[in-house]
Every structure is written in C-alpha cells, then in structure tokens.
C-alpha cells in the first residue's frame, strides 16, 4: 500500500512546524512515497527548497499552502500546474497585501478569481466544512462544501484526518458520510507538523513561543499524532474509510507543476524601436572603453568581445542595461553610487561607469564575476549614498511598475541567543539563568553552543551549560537551531519581474510596510528572477557631504574621483596609523597592519584590506607576506609556473582571482572551470566530494608535467585558502573609498569629521572618539549653538559646530523647527522673547 | 457511562505481541478480555514526562468492567474505571 501526504507543514509555517523541507522529502523517499506536498500556512517560503529536495530524493514535489479564509477557516490548496501556481501566488499576495494590517485571509470572492489550476482539500478540523459539521451544523457544512465544489469542480475533496483519542471523535466518520452522500471524493491526510512523534514537543514549544505563553499553559486540544506517518500506519488508521488512502495517490497524480528553476526571467529594458539590448550594450561598452582608456587597443577589444559574447550568450544584456540606467539616472541627479563585489571584475561594467575599479589596471578576471558554466545570474550590487537610496528605489519602481518590483525577503532564523531567550521564556527558566546563558554569545548557532562552551574564552568561565538540570533546556534550544522565525526586508535587495511579480512570487508587506517577496534571495535566483542590491553605504554619504561642505566653507570644487592616488601626506598619515574614521582602515588591526606593511601606493591599500581578515590572520599569511615584502624571507613559489599568478602578492595566495589563475596555470583548467572549482571549495562538501575534486585537480596537473608532490601541495593551499579568500575586485573598489576618506581626513579634517559625525552610527568608533580624533587633526569642536548649529554637524572655518540633535532631550521636530525658523526670520533666537525670535540688533 | 479517575500503579502482563493480557490492581488479578481502543496523549514534556499510551480494555474479575490502562515512562497505571 502506498500513500502520499498532501497536507504537510515545514518550519516555514513559522513557529508551527518542526521539520525542514529537505527532512520531509527525505522521509517521503525513505517510505517509498511517489510524491509529497508542502502546504505551509499562508506562504510558499519553503517551496523552492522543498521542490529541489524532493527532486533530489526522487519524489514528485507538490506545491501548495494551507490558507486562512475569512471567518478563520482553513483550506488546503495544491497546485496542479503552472496556472495553479500563479493563481496561488496571486491569491497569497492579495491575502497579505489587501488586508491593511489585518491577519491574512482569503475571501470567497478571491477564491472565485484565483482558483484555476488549484486543487482544494476541505482542511483540517479548522476547515469550514469540518468546523460546521463538528458544531452540529450539517446543513451549513453541506452548503460550504457546495460552494467549494462550485469553485473547484472536480478539484475539491473532503479531507479526513484521524487522531485516535479517548473520545475518538466521530468527525472523521461524519465527514466521510457527508462526502459519500454528496458524491465528493474523500482523501486521508495527517496534517503533518513534525517528523517523528517525539517531535510534538518541538511543535508545542514553537507554538508556545508564537503565542507568548508558557508551554504548560498552551490551550488545547493537544495531540502527538501529527507526525510523518508511514503508508502502512495511514492504511491501518483509515481501514474503515475505503478509498481515502488511495485517493491521495490519485490527487498526487493530478499535480504536475514544473517550477522551471533556473530559467531566466529577466525584465526587458525599454529601448527605442529598432534597437536591441545586445546592440545598445555593445555600443555603450565600446564608447565607454574608448572614453576611459583613450583608445581601443587590440587587447581591450579582445577583452570586450569576450565579455560581451558571454553576456549576450547568457541573455544578460537587458540586466546590464537596467543597472547602467539606474546608475546613470542616479548620477544625473548627483546621487553618488558605485558597484561593489565581484562585478568590478568586468570591463563592461567599468566602461558603463557602474564600477570605479579599472579591471585592466588591477588585472581582474571577468570569470570571477560570470561565465557560461555558472548556473545562476550574476550579481551587480550597488552602494548608494544612504540619504538618497530611497530616491533610486522609487525610480526603479516608477520605471518598471509597482506591480513588477518588490523588496527581497530575508529569512530570520534562530541562533543560540534567540533560542535560549525564547525557549527559556516558554519553559519559564529563571531570568538570571537565561541571562547567564546568553552572556558572551553573539553569532553562535545553538548546535555549536555545547561544543564551543569549553573552548571559547568568553564562555569558558560559565558553568550554566554543564548543569544537568538544564540539559533538556539546551537540547530544546539545539532542536530549534536554524528554524526560521519570520521574514524581514533584505537590506538592499530589489526584485524586478519580467511581468507582474505576483504571477511568480507571492508577496507580503513587511512590518515596516515595504512589499517583500515570500522567497529569500537564494530562491529568487533559483526562480531565474533578477535581484538587484541597492545598498545604502554611509561612507558614500560622508564623502558627498564632506565635498559639499568644502565647497560651501572654502569655495573649493573638488572632484574626489580625480584626486591623485599617490598623495604623500595621506600615505604618511596611513603609515602612522592615524586612520580613525577612514573607511575600512580604521580598526586597530588595520592600524597595526599599516605600521607593519608601510604602505606607499594605492595597491598597498588593496593588499591591506585583503590581508586583515580572519582567514589570512588565522593562517599567519600576513607574517609570510610581510617577511617577503621586507626582504626577510625569499619570495618563493610552489611551482615556477605560478609566478605570473602569484607574483603581485609575493607568492602568497591572497585573492580569489588568484585561485582561478593558479588552477588555470597549474592544472590547465579554463577560468570558468577554475571558478567552478573555487566555488565548490567554498561550499560545504563531503569528504568524497573533496577527494573527487582533489584527484581531478592533481590528475590535470600531472598531465601538464607538474610533479605529484607540487600538485598536492598547491591543492592543499587552495583548499585552505578558498574559505577565506577576498575578492580583489571588491577590495579594489573599496580601496578607492578608503583612499578618498583618507585623503579627506588628511586635508580637510573639519569637513570630514563633521560629515562622519553627522552620519552616526557608522564605522568602528563612537562619536566621542571621533571628536577627539578630529581635535588631534587640528579641528576645533564647538558646542551646539541655537543660532549657529544645524541638524547636522557643520563647519565654521576649521572648526566643527556640534549639531542641535546632540542636545539632550531635544526632539527632531524641535530641531527642524529651530532651523527652519532661523532661515525664515534670518535672525537669532532669543530665549526671553515670547515668540523666541527677535530682529538682529547691530 | 460514569468514569472514576484512579491513577494507581498496577502490574501488567503483556503478551508477545505487546498486548496487555492481565493486570494486578490492589493485589487483585484482572484478566483482559478485549482491547476496546488505544491512543496516545501528550504529556507534561517540560517536566520530562514521556508520551502516555492509554489502552481501554474490558477486563473481568468476578464480573466484567471497562478499565483504562496507562503507560508512561515504562510505568503502568490504572487511569480510570468506567462503570
């Protein structure tokens, strides 16, 4: 006997499910089930992961949701095809977005509009039909069943769940009889919420967290039966209900949704008639390259051709044009923005003025950014002036349409700290114990807690983790480790659909009111949609404000992008470690590195940014590099053929791009293959996968005449490095910002620190440290003055005037009022005047 | 049918198929005639309790009666008597 679970909740039902989609798919595979459905509450957040896991387990994934109807009733919906999936997305979007703050729920009218391609089951005991029947309202139940039948036709089924109990409710029998009387097929489900019976505790624990009540006070009814039952158990349970188990297989056979993961779904970039995206991109890239380099050398042309061919072949021309258009629009309005991350490896991106890092000068590799073997869209992330990111976002929304653009969700999951707090409250663990257990834990997962309790210095002193009476408590914290809690807005992610987004992605409002996708960025990528990261970077705001302030204060027009990159005074300041406030170079570790590295060139800043990272420091790469740099150790290479790849870093692997070069030069991999190799090494992998990669690399190297020992040594280096390497393109782009802030601090400390103090919180140090540093640099810090201070820190000659916002207890409304009144009256404020303002007296 | 809550420990004889065949309550032997139904109940897991298994049986001693046997943490109790 076989069976398919058609009503299943994963932990993406947010605090109402205790199993991950992959675990559920595994279990179905273990029981030899041909298919499995996922029906989380009012959402599809786990659908893509489930879809992939199910396919991997060799079972058919059925995507669905258990939705709330008006009146608080539940209804189980399953997608039979692509139309059904789109309708479910639209239905969920309307349920969430059209409720104006109320709990999501579907009206009958919504069901009427979005039912095509969907199969409906009457739901658990909270379904409309079962609820009415259980309440003795048989006529109402029949009418409700009639309504659903009218909407879904043959796609409506009576759902039977059966949990043996003392008063073994006859509801299941009543439902079965109603189904038979009215010719509606009935199907057995188990409304699964967890994998094994014992996990009912986890579900109740989550429920208690969700309802903010102690576990001991959870309202009933309670059951231990909602576990993933085997086909044999289900057959035994529904022995008295002929056909109910078999019907699950029949319904599963009706569900044949193909999510078409990986199929690109890019928005079209609007072009004038007769123009094509590849044509326009090619023209812009060539024009930009000529503008940047003066002329087109054969090398530049060859590189452009290579990049353009790849971009066109992979179908990303419109995507590049969309980003180009956003950057162009922003720059035309004086909004500073630039690319971050691996996209700076591209000459096309540089030619389009999206990036400020010259990929030819810095010898950056396009394949680190994109190549034909990479099975996902490239990421072009933009850093934008924090004050004006909203304007850019609004432009994207207005250009592509409100229905076609949304923010991307981030799934907030449990780490140790959150788990301890929430589980502690649910189990009424005394507050001091919770506080002690949380002390010193920041980004640690609960599953690592016990392991790290003995080794982490900040946890070593605590005995709380070893108390036997708390073992069960910590076990429960570990049990919910990594469980999703809720969705929030991804910091910068913006999603642009090829059409109406809600046809493909269910949307919902975030707590702040932004419309977000129910999928996170990884699933969005898998669905083939374009995500753009428009990130607010306060450093860009600081640069912009400082330059503006220099113009206002001194009448000097500075083109910060054209300042000389070899300013001796700036480098002297860097070498002296006087970098408090300087972007990415201000941490104690960076300041100490400056003293050891003795930086003299812009390239040294790139090295410094890449060297002072946990990985290189942990592996003492910094010591090797510095010894070689200062001639205390000879520069050597594992193989002479690696001199070209590692020469710039004196034989030390520092950048991700170098992994590609090493794999290319030593093992003869193409750069695209080499990037695949690098990416594979950075992900979690089994011992077998690692061994396979190792053998493949070594055999390739041996075929090229490299000695086995050398090939093995290089592979070990690469394997160790892959986890911590830094993208040189990213470091190069950020080095520009580091240098610009260094230069501003060196030459215009008052303007620089006024800007940085106006943008708190940011950076490494609190305002008092920044103010002290400003004084050390020669700027006087003046106290707030009702007649001179503004809402921001301002500059008066070489002095910084503290902002009015720093006055204790003052509201932002009061600050606005004072500043605007002062502008209006052009007169000083008088504390004794009834209106507060009086004419300026000579 | 009226039920009385008892919750007293009992000794239960189990068959090879793990089915109760008899139980001793207050030093008296009751022979299980029929298993009427069985189910599982959630427990106070936050106090370390395991899932309870309840078995409703017809048992005889002099006359027949309906009894609810409960197994929790490997310990058997007579949970209720139904008159």
């Amino acid at each position: 006997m076989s069976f398919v679970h058609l009503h299943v909740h994963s932990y993406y039902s947010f605090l109402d499910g205790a199993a991950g989609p992959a675990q559920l798919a595994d279990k179905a595979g273990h029981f030899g089930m041909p298919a499995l459905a996922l029906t989380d509450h009012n959402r599809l957040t786990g659908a893509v992961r489930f879809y992939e896991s199910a396919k991997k387990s060799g079972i058919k994934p059925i995507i669905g949701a258990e939705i709330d109807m008006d009146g608080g009733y539940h209804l189980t919906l399953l997608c039979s095809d692509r139309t059904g999936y789109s309708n479910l997305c639209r239905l969920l979007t309307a349920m969430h977005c059209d409720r104006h703050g109320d709990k999501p729920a579907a009206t009958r009218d919504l069901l009427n509009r979005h039912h095509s391609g969907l199969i409906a089951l009457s739901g658990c005991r909270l379904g409309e039909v079962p609820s009415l029947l259980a309440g003795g309202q048989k006529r109402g139940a029949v009418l409700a069943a009639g309504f659903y039948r009218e909407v879904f036709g043959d796609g409506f089924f009576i759902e039977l769940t059966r949990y043996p109990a003392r008063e073994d409710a006859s509801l299941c029998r009543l439902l079965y009889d109603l189904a038979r009387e009215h010719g509606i097929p009935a199907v057995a489900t188990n409304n699964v919420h967890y994998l094994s019976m014992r996990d009912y505790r986890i579900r109740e624990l989550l429920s208690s967290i969700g309802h903010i009540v102690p576990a001991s006070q959870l309202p009933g009814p309670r059951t231990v039966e909602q576990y993933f039952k085997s086909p044999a158990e289900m057959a035994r349970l529904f022995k008295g209900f002929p056909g109910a188990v078999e019907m699950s297989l029949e319904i599963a056979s009706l569900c044949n949704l193909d999510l078409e993961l990986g199929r690109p779904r890019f928005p079209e970039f609007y072009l004038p008639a007769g123009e094509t995206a590849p044509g326009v991109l090619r023209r812009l890239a060539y024009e930009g390259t000529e503008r940047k380099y003066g002329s087109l050398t054969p090398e530049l042309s060859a590189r452009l051709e290579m990049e353009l061919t790849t971009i066109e072949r992979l179908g990303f021309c419109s995507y590049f044009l969309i980003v180009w258009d956003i950057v162009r629009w922003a720059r035309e309005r004086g909004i500073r923005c630039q690319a971050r991350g691996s996209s700076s490896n591209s000459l096309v991106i540089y030619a389009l003025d999206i990036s400020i890092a010259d990929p030819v000068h810095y010898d950056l590799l396009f394949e680190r950014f994109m190549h034909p073997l990479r099975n996902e869209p490239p990421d072009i992330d933009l850093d934008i002036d924090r004050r004006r990111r909203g304007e850019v976002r609004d432009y994207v929304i207005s250009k592509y349409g409100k229905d076609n653009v949304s923010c991307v969700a981030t799934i907030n999951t449990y780490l140790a700290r959150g788990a301890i707090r929430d589980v502690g409250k649910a189990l009424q663990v005394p507050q001091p114990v919770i506080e002690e257990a949380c002390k010193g834990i920041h980004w640690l997962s609960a599953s690592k807690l016990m392991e790290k309790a003995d080794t982490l210095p900040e946890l070593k002193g605590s005995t709380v983790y070893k108390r036997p009476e708390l073992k069960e408590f910590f076990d429960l914290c570990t049990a919910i480790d990594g469980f999703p809690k809720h969705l929030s807005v991804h910091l910068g992610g913006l999603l642009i659909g090829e059409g109406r987004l809600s046809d493909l992605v269910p949307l919902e409002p975030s707590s702040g009111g932004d419309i977000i996708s129910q999928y996170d960025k990884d699933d969005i990528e898998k669905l083939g949609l374009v995500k753009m990261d428009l990130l607010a970077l306060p450093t860009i705001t600081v640069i912009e404000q400082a330059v503006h302030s220099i113009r206002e204060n001194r009448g000097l027009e500075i083109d910060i992008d054209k300042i000389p990159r070899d300013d001796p005074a700036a480098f002297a300041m860097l070498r002296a470690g006087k970098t408090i406030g300087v972007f990415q170079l201000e941490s104690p570790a960076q300041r100490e590195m400056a003293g050891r590295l003795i930086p003299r060139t812009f390239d040294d800043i790139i090295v410094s940014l890449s060297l002072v990272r946990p990985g290189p420091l942990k592996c003492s790469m910094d010591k090797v590099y510095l010894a070689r740099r200062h001639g205390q150790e000879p520069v050597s290479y594992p193989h002479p053929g690696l001199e070209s790849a590692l020469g710039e870093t004196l034989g030390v692997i520092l950048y991700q791009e170098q992994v590609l070069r090493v794999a290319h030069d030593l093992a003869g991999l193409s750069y695209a293959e080499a990037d695949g190799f690098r990416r594979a090494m950075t992900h979690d992998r089994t011992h077998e996968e690692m061994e396979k990669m190792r053998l493949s690399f070594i055999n390739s190297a041996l075929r090229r005449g490299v000695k086995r020992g050398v090939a093995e040594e290089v592979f070990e280096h690469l394997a160790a490095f892959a986890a911590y390497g830094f993208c040189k393109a990213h470091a190069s782009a950020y080095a520009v910002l580091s240098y610009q802030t260094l230069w501003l601090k060196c030459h215009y400390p008052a303007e620089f620190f006024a800007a940085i103090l106006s943008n708190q919180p940011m950076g490494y140090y609190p305002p008092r440290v920044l103010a002290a540093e400003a004084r050390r640099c020669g700027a006087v810090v003046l106290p707030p003055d009702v007649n001179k201070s503004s809402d921001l820190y301002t500059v008066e000659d070489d002095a910084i005037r503290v902002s009015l916002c720093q006055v204790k207890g003052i509201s932002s409304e009061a600050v606005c009022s004072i500043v605007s009144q002062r502008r209006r009256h052009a007169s000083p404020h008088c504390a004794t005047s009834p209106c507060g303002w009086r004419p300026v007296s000579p | 049918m009226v039920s009385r809550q008892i919750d007293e420990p009992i000794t239960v004889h189990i068959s090879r198929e793990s089915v109760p065949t008899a139980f001793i309550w207050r030093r008296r032997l009751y022979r299980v005639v029929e298993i009427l139904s069985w189910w599982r109940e959630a427990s106070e897991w936050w106090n370390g309790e395991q899932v309870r298994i309840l078995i409703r049986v017809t048992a005889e001693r002099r006359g027949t009666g309906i009894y609810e046997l409960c197994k929790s943490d490997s310990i058997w109790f007579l949970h209720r008597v139904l008159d």
Side-chain angles (χ1 to χ4, degrees):
Chain A
M1 166 59 69
S2 192
F3 171 75
V4 172
H5 280 292
L6 295 173
H7 187 159
V8 181
H9 295 269
S10 74
Y11 52 41
Y12 289 105
S13 277
F14 290 164
L15 302 180
D16 195 27
Q23 293 169 300
L24 292 163
D26 270 0
K27 192 89 171 177
H30 169 76
F31 284 140
M33 293 175 171
L36 179 68
L38 185 73
T39 54
D40 283 315
H41 283 303
N42 298 325
R43 60 177 55 258
L44 294 180
T45 304
V48 173
R49 286 143 213 249
F50 168 70
Y51 186 90
E52 281 190 307
S53 304
K55 291 260 177 191
K56 218 182 274 177
S57 297
I59 57 168
K60 179 160 77 174
I62 301 170
I63 302 298
E66 182 186 51
I67 64 160
D68 281 0
M69 294 290 296
D70 258 352
Y73 298 124
H74 287 187
L75 185 69
T76 314
L77 296 177
L78 306 170
C79 305
S80 62
D81 54 21
R82 189 106 203 137
T83 307
Y85 173 76
S86 286
N87 268 323
L88 184 57
C89 290
R90 290 182 205 127
L91 184 69
L92 291 169
T93 302
M95 283 169 59
H96 283 273
C97 295
D98 299 346
R99 299 286 292 182
H100 310 293
D102 289 342
K103 280 186 171 176
T107 58
R108 285 187 163 197
D109 178 47
L110 262 184
L111 276 192
N112 270 319
R113 274 187 278 148
H114 304 298
H115 64 270
S116 181
L118 286 172
I119 288 169
L121 315 185
S122 60
C124 59
R125 63 180 176 82
L126 294 176
E128 190 169 356
V129 177
S131 293
L132 292 169
L133 211 50
Q137 299 179 54
K138 187 173 175 190
R139 192 177 145 66
V142 170
L143 286 175
F147 163 74
Y148 291 117
R149 191 117 201 246
E150 204 178 301
V151 174
F152 294 99
D154 291 341
F156 176 63
F157 299 82
I158 294 290
E159 187 174 344
L160 307 176
T161 47
R162 197 168 163 249
Y163 305 143
R166 172 172 286 112
E167 308 308 332
D168 193 1
S170 52
L171 180 58
C172 190
R173 175 62 57 195
L174 292 174
L175 280 164
Y176 187 73
D177 291 346
L178 181 143
R180 286 177 68 123
E181 275 169 35
H182 293 85
I184 305 170
V187 61
T189 77
N190 199 46
N191 193 9
V192 174
H193 282 73
Y194 35 87
L195 280 183
S196 62
M197 189 171 59
R198 195 179 138 74
D199 294 341
Y200 87 97
R201 303 169 311 142
I202 313 297
R203 197 255 171 132
E204 289 197 344
L205 173 70
L206 294 169
S207 199
S208 127
I209 293 170
H211 289 94
I212 325 175
V213 291
S216 55
Q217 290 166 30
L218 262 182
R222 299 174 66 201
T223 179
V224 300
E225 299 290 342
Q226 290 175 321
Y227 63 94
F228 202 108
K229 288 180 178 158
S230 68
E233 274 181 284
M234 290 301 286
R236 269 198 304 275
L237 202 54
F238 286 90
K239 206 173 161 189
F241 302 88
V245 165
E246 292 81 355
M247 187 54 71
S248 71
L249 298 165
E250 220 164 289
I251 295 173
S253 73
L254 298 174
C255 300
N256 296 296
L257 168 68
D258 181 0
L259 274 183
E260 300 175 341
L261 296 186
R263 182 173 85 75
R265 299 168 206 276
F266 298 148
E268 277 304 307
F269 183 69
Y270 310 128
L271 290 164
E275 298 254 45
T276 63
V280 173
L281 183 67
R282 178 170 291 273
R283 178 169 51 77
L284 290 171
Y286 271 94
E287 283 171 5
T289 306
E290 269 197 83
R291 195 174 59 248
K292 301 244 178 203
Y293 295 94
S295 65
L296 267 175
T297 61
E299 290 79 21
L300 284 171
S301 291
R303 173 145 183 179
L304 266 186
E305 276 307 314
M306 179 271 287
E307 291 195 13
L308 287 166
T309 308
T310 306
I311 296 166
E312 191 176 339
R313 214 168 94 199
L314 298 177
F316 294 123
C317 293
S318 278
Y319 176 46
F320 275 62
L321 289 174
I322 287 167
V323 182
W324 164 76
D325 175 63
I326 294 171
V327 172
R328 180 190 59 160
W329 182 90
R331 296 242 173 92
E332 279 172 4
R333 279 145 192 85
I335 303 172
R336 182 171 278 272
C337 58
Q338 63 178 61
R340 66 147 70 175
S342 65
S343 65
S344 297
N345 276 295
S346 161
L347 176 59
V348 172
I349 289 284
Y350 181 59
L352 262 51
D353 268 334
I354 298 169
S355 157
I356 53 169
D358 179 345
V360 176
H361 178 80
Y362 296 116
D363 199 16
L364 303 176
L365 270 180
F366 176 68
E367 286 82 355
R368 169 61 189 85
F369 171 49
M370 64 185 289
H371 55 75
L373 303 180
R374 193 171 155 175
N375 197 21
E376 54 195 52
D379 249 347
I380 309 177
D381 301 338
L382 296 176
D383 282 327
I384 301 172
D385 183 338
R386 181 162 66 177
R387 298 165 303 171
R388 305 188 67 183
R389 181 193 173 261
E391 289 174 53
V392 182
R393 196 187 70 163
D394 291 348
Y395 168 68
V396 175
I397 293 171
S398 71
K399 173 136 189 171
Y400 296 97
K402 198 165 73 68
D403 290 341
N404 303 341
V405 180
S406 83
C407 297
V408 178
T410 289
I411 302 170
N412 292 78
T413 55
Y414 271 111
L415 286 171
R417 207 178 164 90
I420 289 171
R421 289 203 183 284
D422 283 0
V423 176
K425 267 185 222 157
L427 298 187
Q428 294 177 292
V429 173
Q431 197 58 30
V433 175
I434 296 176
E435 294 306 328
E436 192 189 339
C438 286
K439 216 157 76 185
I441 301 175
H442 292 288
W443 297 105
L444 198 60
S445 71
S447 53
K448 290 263 166 70
L449 188 61
M450 292 301 143
E451 178 193 321
K452 300 277 179 188
D454 290 328
T455 52
L456 274 185
E458 53 269 45
L459 304 183
K460 261 183 173 174
S462 177
T463 56
V464 71
Y465 309 110
K466 307 225 164 48
R467 283 162 56 181
E469 73 275 20
L470 294 176
K471 187 182 176 304
E472 177 72 5
F473 164 59
F474 285 118
D475 283 350
L476 288 167
C477 292
T478 305
I480 65 163
D481 188 35
F483 276 29
K485 273 201 292 194
H486 55 84
L487 291 184
S488 61
V489 188
H490 183 276
L491 272 182
L494 213 56
L495 189 57
I496 308 177
E498 60 178 349
R500 193 169 55 169
L501 260 180
S502 61
D503 290 350
L504 189 65
V505 178
L507 306 171
E508 64 178 63
S510 72
S511 54
D514 292 315
I515 298 300
I516 56 174
S517 58
Q518 285 193 347
Y519 296 128
D520 78 347
K521 66 181 178 66
D522 297 333
D523 292 345
I524 288 294
E525 267 182 16
K526 285 172 191 158
L527 282 168
L529 284 157
V530 166
K531 173 190 74 88
M532 241 159 259
D533 270 345
L534 306 181
L535 297 144
L537 187 68
T539 298
I540 292 184
T541 314
V542 166
I543 293 171
E544 201 58 33
Q545 280 180 348
V547 170
H548 175 80
S549 179
I550 294 166
R551 189 187 308 127
E552 294 286 304
N553 195 40
R554 301 172 197 269
L556 291 174
E557 197 64 54
I558 288 169
D559 186 345
I560 196 73
D561 295 320
K562 294 203 173 130
I563 54 172
R565 289 197 180 168
D566 56 354
D567 183 70
F571 276 100
M573 182 180 250
L574 175 58
R575 284 192 296 274
K578 294 179 180 171
T579 50
I580 288 177
V582 175
F583 181 63
Q584 299 268 309
L585 293 175
E586 63 175 344
S587 70
Q590 277 289 0
R591 288 159 60 204
E592 194 240 358
M593 175 57 75
R596 294 159 66 206
L597 187 68
I598 323 287
R600 295 187 186 282
T601 64
F602 181 80
D603 288 5
D604 290 340
I605 297 179
I606 302 175
V607 169
S608 191
L609 294 183
S610 309
L611 210 48
V612 182
R613 293 177 53 77
L617 295 180
K618 200 173 162 190
C619 298
S620 298
M621 285 290 187
D622 56 326
K623 293 190 179 73
V624 178
Y625 176 82
L626 291 171
R628 291 180 180 186
R629 182 181 166 100
H630 299 310
Q632 294 149 355
E633 177 185 303
V635 174
S636 64
Y637 303 96
H639 185 271
L642 295 181
E643 189 169 348
S644 134
L646 303 178
E648 63 167 329
T649 50
L650 312 175
V652 174
I653 306 174
L654 201 53
Y655 307 122
Q656 292 171 354
E657 285 83 349
Q658 288 176 316
V659 174
L660 273 64
R661 287 192 196 284
V662 168
H664 173 267
D665 293 354
L666 200 79
L669 304 184
S670 71
Y671 284 125
E673 290 167 338
D675 185 58
F677 171 74
R678 179 195 67 80
R679 290 164 66 82
M681 290 214 290
T682 55
H683 291 116
D684 282 343
R685 57 207 177 266
T686 62
H687 177 73
E688 288 74 28
E689 286 168 338
M690 190 67 183
E691 190 54 26
K692 208 169 143 192
M693 273 196 288
R694 202 179 78 88
L695 284 177
S696 155
F697 180 89
I698 290 169
N699 288 336
S700 300
L702 291 176
R703 278 197 296 275
R704 291 167 63 86
V706 178
K707 285 182 183 161
R708 178 172 288 278
V710 173
E712 285 177 348
E713 185 194 336
V714 171
F715 181 84
E716 293 311 322
H717 265 78
L718 293 179
F721 168 83
Y724 65 72
F726 205 35
C727 174
K728 188 182 177 189
H730 180 70
S732 307
Y734 268 22
V736 174
L737 296 178
S738 297
Y739 182 75
Q740 289 174 344
T741 50
L742 176 73
W743 187 88
L744 285 168
K745 178 183 176 182
C746 179
H747 297 287
Y748 300 97
E751 284 84 354
F752 174 69
F753 278 105
I756 213 165
L757 284 161
S758 296
N759 282 284
Q760 293 300 303
M762 66 171 283
Y764 207 88
Y765 300 98
R768 62 181 171 77
V769 175
L770 294 167
E773 180 69 0
R775 285 191 199 97
R776 269 195 291 276
C777 293
V780 176
V781 180
L782 300 170
D785 184 319
V786 72
N787 288 316
K788 291 181 178 168
S789 288
S790 171
D791 52 340
L792 299 175
Y793 286 74
T794 48
V795 177
E796 297 169 16
D797 298 324
D798 281 326
I800 299 168
R801 174 71 66 187
V802 172
S803 149
L804 277 178
C805 296
Q806 300 304 310
V807 175
K808 192 173 179 183
I810 199 164
S811 67
S812 54
E813 290 80 11
V815 171
C816 278
S817 166
I818 291 170
V819 173
S820 66
Q821 287 287 330
R822 214 166 59 202
R823 272 195 208 117
R824 197 178 306 160
H825 294 274
S827 59
H829 182 269
C830 171
T832 55
S833 160
C835 66
W837 297 96
R838 66 176 180 199
V840 184
S841 43
Chain B
M1 195 175 282
V2 181
S3 79
R4 282 182 293 133
Q5 191 159 339
I6 307 292
D7 282 337
E8 288 178 18
I10 52 174
T11 305
V12 179
H13 296 270
I14 303 283
S15 72
R16 263 190 289 183
E17 292 79 33
S18 303
V19 176
T21 52
F23 60 91
I24 298 168
W25 175 43
R26 294 180 185 169
R27 295 184 174 183
R28 292 192 179 96
L29 181 72
Y30 292 76
R31 197 171 59 80
V32 173
V33 180
E34 189 186 0
I35 306 280
L36 295 172
S37 61
W38 71 275
W39 66 95
R40 294 172 283 220
E41 278 187 357
S43 64
E44 293 184 6
W45 52 265
W46 49 90
N47 286 330
E49 282 182 18
Q50 302 293 314
V51 170
R52 283 190 293 263
I53 298 170
L54 286 111
I55 305 174
R56 186 177 286 184
V57 301
T58 306
E60 64 178 13
R61 179 190 150 72
R62 293 185 188 158
T64 57
I66 297 177
Y67 302 86
E68 272 183 19
L69 316 183
C70 172
K71 188 184 173 195
S72 176
D73 291 335
S74 310
I75 298 168
W76 285 96
F77 293 88
L78 178 65
H79 185 47
R80 280 169 196 269
V81 176
L82 289 87
D83 300 318

